[in-house]
């Protein structure tokens, strides 16, 4: 089944060319890719709505973020218990290492999100 024809007033017939630096082009391309649209549509949506399109994440990324959030909540609760002397002291080093691991995982996710 063919796509319905647009009215003449809805057709995009005017082309506007802009020049970007390599850095600007890379940024626009990355933002568009993360939103699942073309760079032209990203610029059009930002210009006419004043907002950037919503960034889409894969279900795996969403599940990973949720899991990291749960770990962070548990880590925060355990830290509060240690500060109130309600937790054995030997667990402190384990919690510090867990905190470092979580921070490292978050950094990897953020860096991967920027590059990929």
């Amino acid at each position: 089944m063919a796509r319905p024809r647009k009215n003449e007033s809805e057709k995009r017939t005017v082309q506007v060319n802009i020049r970007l630096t390599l850095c600007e082009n890379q940024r626009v391309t990355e933002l568009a890719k993360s939103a699942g649209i073309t760079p032209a549509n990203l610029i059009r949506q930002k210009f006419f709505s004043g907002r950037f399109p919503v960034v889409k994440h894969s279900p795996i990324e969403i599940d990973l973020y949720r899991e990291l959030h749960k770990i962070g909540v548990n880590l925060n609760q355990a830290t509060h218990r240690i500060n109130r002397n309600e937790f054995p002291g030997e667990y402190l080093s384990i919690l510090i290492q867990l905190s470092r691991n979580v921070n490292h995982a978050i950094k990897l996710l953020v860096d991967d999100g920027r590059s990929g």
Side-chain angles (χ1 to χ4, degrees):
M1 182 170 170
R3 185 184 329 182
R5 290 187 173 262
K6 290 185 177 186
N7 296 332
E8 287 300 316
S9 63
E10 294 175 332
K11 289 183 181 179
R12 292 188 173 116
T13 57
V14 177
Q15 183 174 344
V16 177
N17 296 314
I18 63 170
R19 293 183 186 271
L20 301 173
T21 65
L22 288 174
C23 185
E24 290 169 337
N25 183 58
Q26 182 180 4
R27 188 168 176 211
V28 168
T29 302
E30 287 174 1
L31 287 170
K33 184 178 178 182
S34 67
I37 59 176
T38 64
N41 283 333
L42 175 111
I43 292 168
R44 188 180 300 112
Q45 186 169 341
K46 173 62 176 161
F47 181 81
F48 288 112
S49 73
R51 289 184 244 134
F52 282 104
V54 175
V55 174
K56 298 176 182 178
H57 294 284
S58 72
I60 293 171
E61 288 175 326
I62 292 169
D63 290 342
L64 190 54
Y65 282 118
R66 281 191 190 122
E67 194 60 35
L68 280 172
H69 177 73
K70 290 176 189 177
I71 292 169
V73 168
N74 289 337
L75 179 61
N76 191 39
Q77 291 171 350
T79 303
H80 282 292
R81 289 186 69 189
I82 287 172
N83 288 336
R84 291 191 312 248
N85 292 323
E86 297 175 5
F87 221 98
E90 62 267 14
Y91 291 128
L92 182 58
S93 63
I94 296 169
L95 289 172
I96 288 171
Q97 186 58 45
L98 177 61
S99 175
R100 287 183 183 140
N101 291 347
V102 168
N103 286 334
H104 180 68
I106 291 170
K107 183 182 182 324
L108 289 175
L109 281 172
V110 168
D111 289 346
D112 187 48
R114 289 183 186 150
S115 67

